[in-house]
Structure formats: C-alpha cells, structure tokens
Amino acid sequence: MTTATQNGTRKIVINPVTRVEGHGKVTIQMDEDNHVTQARLHIIEFRGFERFVQGHFYWEVPVLVQRLCGICPVSHHLAASKACDMIVGADSLSPTAEKIRRLMHYGQTFQSHALHFYHLSSPDLLFGFDAPVAQRNVIGVIQAYPEVAKKAVLMRKFGQEVIKATAGKKIHGTGSIPGGVNKHLSQEDRDRLAAEVDTMLEWGVEGLKLCKDVTLASAEKLLPFGTFESNFLSIVREDGCLDLYDGNLRAKDADGKIIFDQVKPEDYLDVIREGVRNWSYMKFPFIHDRGQEKGWYRVGPLARINNCDFIDTPIAEEERQEFMALGKGRPIHATMAYHWARLIELVHSAEKMRELLADPDVLRGELTTTGERRDRGVAIIEAPRGTLIHDYEVDDNDQIRRGNLIVSTTHNNEAMNQAVRVVADQYLEGQAEISEGMLNSIEVGIRAYDPCLSCATHALGQMRLLVQLIGPDGTILDERTRG
Amino acid sequence: MSKPTIATGHFTGCFGCHMSLLDIDERILQLTELVEFDKSPINDKKRFDRVVDIGIIEGGCSNDENVEFLRMFRKNCKTLVAIGACALTGGVPAMRNTVPLRECLEEAFLRGPSVIDGVIPNDPDIPIMLDRVYPAHEVVKIDYFIPGCPPSADALWAAIVALLEGREPVLDYELLKYD
C-alpha cells in the first residue's frame, strides 16, 4: 500500500479517503528536508458506464445511470431525463412536468446539502479539526448538540419525502421519464409536505446562521485554510439568475471576469475538454482554450453563488449579497466558504419548495410532451456538488450508440488536488512528525468540495486513516492510525 | 454488558444502501443508543482491532482492493450481512461484465468525445481492476442477504433489530424488493 522512495525522500499515504461511489486515496511526497514535493488525490475506482450504457434503449437511461450515485441519484435521473427530452423532441415540458421535476430537484438539493453540512462537516466545525476522534463524527454531534442533530435528521427526511412523493422512491426513483414525468403529486402528499415546509425553511435559516457564525468566529483560521484562486463554472438562467435545474454554461475567471457565457448544453464540447493522468481513474476537465494548466475550474455551491447575478428568492438573495460582500467585488475563493454557499442554496431550495408546494400545477395538468425525434441528447443540471453533463447519441433502433458523462466530482478534480496541496503546504511542510489533526485537516480540505469523498466517513463514523512514514530502505519509521 | 458492535463497508456500488440506512431517520438516534458503531475503516486491514458482532456491506468487488478488504470484513465480523443489488449480484456495475474490461477503459479514457491526450490509468497507486465485477458471496461467505436497489430503510431496520435481538431476520413480503 505504501511505497518508499529514494535518497531520503518519503511518501505519506492516506488510504482510504472514502467517498460515496468508491474510494479515494491521498499520497504526499516529502524530501529529506521535509518539504512537500508532491501531493495527489487519487480516485481509485472505475466502473465504465460510458461503455456499458451502449446498446441500451435511451428510455432506460434515467433509471440506469442514476445508479452512479446513491447520494444524489435525482441529479442523474433528471439530467438523463433532460437529455432524453431532447431526443424525443420535448423542447418545452408541460408546466406540470417542469414543476414536479423542479420540486424533486430542490428536495434533493435540500436533503443532500443538509446531509453534507450536518452529518459530515459540522463535526469539524463544531469540535475543531483536531478534536478527539471519538467525538468528531455525527454520533458526537448527536450527543453534544441533540437539538441540532434532530433537526438535521428531520431536514434530510423532509427532502427525501419530497423525492419519494415526486419520484416514487427515496433512492433511485422512477418519476421522471423522457418528455416529462409519470405522475402528479397527490393531494395528500402535497398537503402533508406543505404543512412542514415553513418549519424546514426556518431551520434552514438557523443552519445558515450557525454556519456563518462558526465561520466568522474563526475567520482568521478558516478563510485562508486550503484556499487558492481559480476559475468557476456553473449554469445560470438566461437573465443570470441562479438556477439549479436548467440554464446555460457560464465561466468566470479568478477576478470575476466572464470567460464565456450562455453556452448551450449541446455546445459544451466547444468549451470543455478533459485531460487524463495515469495516477487517477477520474479525469481532469478544463476550459479548452485556456489549456490544462490554466483552464481548470471549480464547480458546486461556491461556483454557483460566485457566478450568478442574483437569486430569485428573497431570503437567499439577501444572504447572497451579504456573502459576496466578503469578496469586495471579487469572487470568494476560500475553500471553507463552500459550506456557507451550500447553506445559502439550502435556504433557496426550501424557498423554492414552498413556492412549488403552493402551486396547483403540481396536482394536475399534462404530464408529458413530445416533438420531432433527434439522434442526440445533451443536458446539464446543477447537482448538489456541481455541474453535471449527460450526453447521449442514439441509433435508429433507439439504442444508445455513445454516452459521455462529466459528473460534478470530476469537474472539481483539479480543485480538490489543489486543496490537498495547499493544506499539505500549510500543515505538513517542514514537519518530521505527523499528528492525527494534520491528517484530518487534509480531509477537511477535500470534504469542503465533495460530500462524495467523505460521506462514508462522518456519516457513519467510519473513517479511519493510516499514514506511514517509510524510510529509504523501506522500513516504517512512523505510523499513525486514526478512527 | 457492552453494546453490540456494528461495522459497515462500502465496495463497488453507489452508496445508496448506506443512504437508505440513513433513511431510518429518527430511529438513528435510537440506534446509536442500542449499538456501538465500530470505527474500523472500510478498506484497511489494520482498522479492525477487534471482532465486531455485525458487519453490513454494500457493493460488489471490482478491483483487488475490494477483495482484500471484503476478506478482512469476513474475518472480523461474527455475522456478515450483504445488502443491496450490487453486493448480491454485482448490480449495475456488473453490466460491464458483458464487455471486455479494456473496451470500458478505452471508451472512458481514450475515445470519449471530451478527452484530450488520453491514457489508461496504470499508476501503482491505483488498484488493479478485476476482469469482471463479482458479487460478495463469490468472494466470501455471507450470512444474510437483503435485496433491493436499495433495500428500504424499513427492511434494513427490521433486519438489524432482529439480529440485535438474536432472531433470524425474516422480512415480510412487502419489505422484499428486487428492483
């Protein structure tokens, strides 16, 4: 598992950094003077969806491809459905279908963001990066902050109930189909959810305040932590509004200047390419004309809040303005600001659900539409963790000929590697001995970007790391385990 | 008397079974009273420093690390429960079993329309893929199987409670789903 290198250099291996759909691993090389010379996040699983989706009928794709991810299956379910909309020629959905899909999506964003903040990341923020291992997990939160934990559990439950009411099932549902949805929201479900949504919004605002207070109370430590500058990518609505379900691509540079804007989903190959490195099963996307070195970017809540011009729900918009003021006219680059941005989106999702649950269209109306058949479908959605691209070509028999997926976590690949490098420089540089807190700090940096990488960890109190210092002759000089 | 211990593991799957376990919602507060979660990591043999009472695993085996760690789970769990389609049959990841592995890798890393300067990852720091995806019971003995993609929270809860009470977990018909 761990390899020694030559001439007094050493290699530190963190394995596993667990993620939802597989496992990650960190390796850090240090020279004889304890300088960090290389730090990498390896994604060590590969499943091959692009190939084995070939030959399947396109209408299977919305239920098939969501099995990529059990944390945000709705994102894949909807992205694949939107790509199929293009194939069946459903250029505009019925108001009923669009609203039910949006409700499903906001329910998912709400539950996923709640899970990430409370179950996974709050232990680091509430107890400290180097708090005792026994406490620094969701069980510790349940014991120390039972009221917060209970609300967290009920918020996630609410989001999952919204998904069940719209998709038929909490995980891997079937509600969305090419050209629309397969059922209305029942009156009973609508009434039950509508009765709870105000409480959810209230708790969401409380959660945002908690996140903001914790961040600002330790701003000197948290804002520079694992921080670097980058470009940002997301979709935005045509008028520049934040839109998690639909829109066109916009990219901004580190100063906030537009690199490109309103690029339609079907034209994503004009602006995005992916590099491959032999040490990771995850590819490295970048903005094509800026090249691999300078063209990489970040996606997800921070990118979306930085990129949009405004939010169309009042509480979230007010919070967005307060958040953006931190940047004094430039984008916010702090890694730990992801949490704050994520909570703004959680509040936005609750506001959107409140609107949709009061809308009679979700109870009745046309379910599907159709039009002229096409042989390619491309769709982009903002999954909780970031921009998600599905691209399918079909043949005359309705079978998939080619599939290309660029998922949220992949877009953040270079960014997470940067975070590992920066945290390694901040915490490991010059250190001959490694403490447990240093190890967790590296994970905190990764965790801010990608709930998938940390989910198995704090969610179930399972995470454990093994770090070994190995001498030039291969002997283990120092070893620490945690968990 | 000390509380029973539970370890959970994730192999090649989507983590949806673990999410379904979280869908027991308020009952999770109760569960933390009833059991002690063993913090042993999922895929590192040194993480098991004692034998735990119940191991719950999600996902099949697609690479050499999966196999190694699944064996560690078997060795260190008195009762091993496989949950979900991927652990039981290989599930959706096993769809690659009908295609040669090389073709899957080439499609993703060489031929994809967005790929530039493609290369098939081969660094010693990443695990070696198996020829195909194997269900858990083809690698180790499994004591109980809970089907579903994922099994519902109620099914998981019923099985866990039965095991904690020393009963055979027999799930009612409506809790058994094979999607």
Side-chain angles (χ1 to χ4, degrees):
Chain A
M1 182 191 294
T2 311
T3 28
T5 48
Q6 306 157 5
N7 304 326
T9 62
R10 56 189 172 143
K11 178 174 181 179
I12 300 166
V13 178
I14 303 178
N15 186 20
V17 180
T18 315
R19 70 184 181 116
V20 168
E21 70 270 48
H23 304 113
K25 168 177 170 180
V26 172
T27 59
I28 296 166
Q29 307 256 15
M30 299 178 83
D31 69 14
E32 53 195 350
D33 299 321
N34 300 320
H35 294 306
V36 175
T37 54
Q38 185 191 79
R40 287 172 171 175
L41 169 66
H42 309 262
I43 299 304
I44 57 178
E45 193 179 272
F46 168 72
R47 281 179 288 171
F49 271 75
E50 288 92 341
R51 175 60 186 83
F52 69 59
V53 77
Q54 292 174 8
H56 284 267
F57 295 112
Y58 70 78
W59 57 79
E60 295 175 17
V61 166
V63 288
L64 174 59
V65 177
Q66 67 181 334
R67 263 92 179 166
L68 273 171
C69 177
I71 280 207
C72 59
V74 170
S75 312
H76 292 284
H77 187 52
L78 292 178
S81 298
K82 282 177 31 158
C84 290
D85 293 345
M86 194 181 279
I87 292 169
V88 302
D91 292 335
S92 63
L93 297 186
S94 71
T96 295
E98 163 119 5
K99 285 171 186 174
I100 288 175
R101 281 194 190 174
R102 280 182 177 272
L103 181 59
M104 194 191 299
H105 193 47
Y106 293 121
Q108 156 183 254
T109 306
F110 188 77
Q111 73 84 13
S112 177
H113 281 0
L115 175 80
H116 183 250
F117 179 66
Y118 291 105
H119 295 62
L120 309 181
S121 290
S122 74
D124 296 321
L125 297 168
L126 294 173
F127 304 130
F129 299 176
D130 50 4
V133 175
Q135 184 186 35
R136 203 183 54 216
N137 55 55
V138 69
I139 308 289
V141 177
I142 290 172
Q143 283 158 356
Y145 300 92
E147 276 309 301
V148 173
K150 194 172 169 209
K151 285 177 184 173
V153 166
L154 293 176
M155 284 165 77
R156 179 171 179 280
K157 180 183 180 182
F158 180 81
Q160 292 288 81
E161 291 289 342
V162 168
I163 294 169
K164 190 180 176 187
T166 49
K169 218 170 139 220
K170 287 181 173 179
I171 298 160
H172 302 328
T174 55
S176 182
I177 56 175
V181 294
N182 64 10
K183 70 184 189 79
H184 296 108
L185 193 64
S186 74
Q187 183 79 46
E188 188 192 344
D189 282 336
R190 201 281 295 267
D191 293 348
R192 182 171 56 86
L193 295 167
E196 287 181 59
V197 72
D198 285 332
T199 308
M200 294 302 134
L201 177 55
E202 187 187 312
W203 290 356
V205 172
E206 276 175 30
L208 172 55
K209 184 171 183 315
L210 173 69
C211 177
K212 209 162 39 173
D213 289 350
V214 169
T215 307
L216 291 176
S218 312
E220 280 178 19
K221 178 186 177 187
L222 291 183
L223 295 180
F225 175 82
T227 289
F228 50 87
E229 301 213 335
S230 76
N231 306 307
F232 294 98
L233 177 85
S234 70
I235 54 172
V236 291
R237 207 164 72 185
E238 276 177 16
D239 59 0
C241 181
L242 176 77
D243 194 336
L244 303 177
Y245 173 76
D246 199 25
N248 297 321
L249 288 167
R250 169 185 283 183
K252 283 187 180 176
D253 69 14
D255 293 320
K257 289 200 202 81
I258 297 275
I259 299 173
F260 56 76
D261 199 3
Q262 300 301 333
V263 173
K264 293 194 180 311
E266 57 266 39
D267 298 328
Y268 78 98
L269 286 170
D270 292 348
V271 291
I272 292 169
R273 284 290 189 280
E274 294 178 286
V276 184
R277 291 173 209 165
N278 78 325
W279 47 267
S280 184
Y281 284 122
M282 193 154 75
K283 289 180 264 193
F284 290 83
F286 59 96
I287 294 166
H288 190 192
D289 63 10
R290 301 226 159 177
Q292 294 207 45
E293 286 279 310
K294 296 191 172 151
W296 59 273
Y297 49 81
R298 286 186 274 187
V299 300
L302 183 66
R304 293 191 285 251
I305 302 294
N306 275 330
N307 266 6
C308 74
D309 300 327
F310 67 99
I311 300 178
D312 61 350
T313 56
I315 304 174
E317 170 59 14
E318 199 177 307
E319 294 289 343
R320 183 195 70 86
Q321 291 180 15
E322 184 185 335
F323 178 74
M324 292 308 292
L326 286 184
K328 301 184 172 66
R330 292 186 83 233
I332 312 292
H333 288 283
T335 283
M336 295 305 278
Y338 260 91
H339 297 294
W340 188 336
R342 192 170 285 122
L343 270 289
I344 294 174
E345 290 188 343
L346 179 139
V347 168
H348 170 66
S349 300
E351 289 181 289
K352 281 289 187 187
M353 285 190 287
R354 185 168 65 173
E355 278 175 24
L356 289 162
L357 288 167
D359 192 323
D361 282 349
V362 298
L363 299 172
R364 62 190 75 91
E366 283 292 314
L367 292 175
T368 56
T369 49
T370 164
E372 198 175 330
R373 166 87 156 57
R374 298 190 185 90
D375 59 9
R376 186 176 176 219
V378 185
I380 305 186
I381 198 167
E382 286 293 336
R385 300 189 304 281
T387 310
L388 168 63
I389 303 174
H390 280 215
D391 175 6
Y392 305 102
E393 277 176 28
V394 293
D395 65 17
D396 292 342
N397 299 321
D398 291 347
Q399 289 170 291
I400 305 281
R401 194 163 51 201
R402 184 183 59 75
N404 193 39
L405 306 168
I406 309 181
V407 305
S408 319
T409 307
T410 304
H411 290 288
N412 270 338
N413 197 356
E414 184 61 50
M416 291 185 294
N417 270 282
Q418 286 287 333
V420 168
R421 277 192 280 274
V422 174
V423 178
D425 280 342
Q426 289 173 338
Y427 283 76
L428 267 61
E429 177 68 20
Q431 300 290 333
E433 300 238 343
I434 301 161
S435 72
E436 195 279 329
M438 292 174 194
L439 300 189
N440 186 52
S441 298
I442 287 175
E443 285 179 84
V444 170
I446 297 168
R447 210 169 277 141
Y449 287 89
D450 183 15
C452 270
L453 283 165
S454 55
C455 208
T457 356
H458 279 150
L460 296 157
Q462 286 283 318
M463 184 82 166
R464 185 153 168 184
L465 295 178
L466 166 67
V467 171
Q468 294 178 323
L469 293 195
I470 296 191
D473 59 353
T475 53
I476 296 171
L477 302 175
D478 192 5
E479 179 175 306
R480 292 282 168 85
T481 54
R482 155 164 99 56
Chain B
M1 210 178 95
S2 60
K3 291 181 189 173
T5 47
I6 291 190
T8 76
H10 170 231
F11 300 88
T12 296
C14 74
F15 216 73
C17 295
H18 276 79
M19 288 295 102
S20 197
L21 188 58
L22 281 184
D23 282 338
I24 62 174
D25 297 327
E26 299 96 315
R27 289 171 287 185
I28 196 142
L29 306 174
Q30 200 183 334
L31 189 62
T32 60
E33 300 284 315
L34 291 175
V35 305
E36 185 184 336
F37 276 94
D38 193 285
K39 294 182 191 301
S40 295
I42 295 165
N43 60 356
D44 185 330
K45 60 185 177 186
K46 294 192 182 186
R47 74 180 63 171
F48 277 110
D49 53 7
R50 60 175 172 178
V51 171
V52 303
D53 295 306
I54 302 171
I56 297 175
I57 55 127
E58 162 187 359
C61 289
S62 72
N63 62 44
D64 58 345
E65 265 196 22
N66 286 159
V67 172
E68 183 188 340
F69 299 137
L70 183 56
R71 287 181 177 148
M72 293 308 299
F73 257 79
R74 177 66 274 181
K75 201 172 155 195
N76 290 282
C77 298
K78 288 182 199 160
T79 301
L80 193 57
V81 185
I83 64 172
C86 299
L88 269 58
T89 69
V92 166
M95 285 171 64
R96 85 159 161 86
N97 291 355
T98 61
V99 181
L101 174 59
R102 171 160 286 277
E103 275 187 38
C104 289
L105 291 164
E106 285 176 353
E107 186 67 27
F109 297 110
L110 302 181
R111 284 201 296 268
S114 42
V115 170
I116 277 189
D117 299 335
V119 55
I120 292 179
N122 60 355
D123 192 89
D125 272 324
I126 54 179
I128 296 169
M129 314 265 306
L130 302 177
D131 60 333
R132 60 186 186 89
V133 179
Y134 295 82
H137 69 268
E138 289 190 13
V139 178
V140 298
K141 177 178 180 290
I142 299 292
D143 301 306
Y144 297 102
F145 300 88
I146 306 179
C149 185
S152 69
D154 287 342
L156 295 171
W157 180 251
I160 291 170
V161 168
L163 287 169
L164 291 175
E165 291 175 351
R167 289 184 283 116
E168 285 282 313
V170 178
L171 298 184
D172 293 339
Y173 175 76
E174 60 269 24
L175 290 179
L176 289 172
K177 293 249 186 332
Y178 295 90
D179 58 346

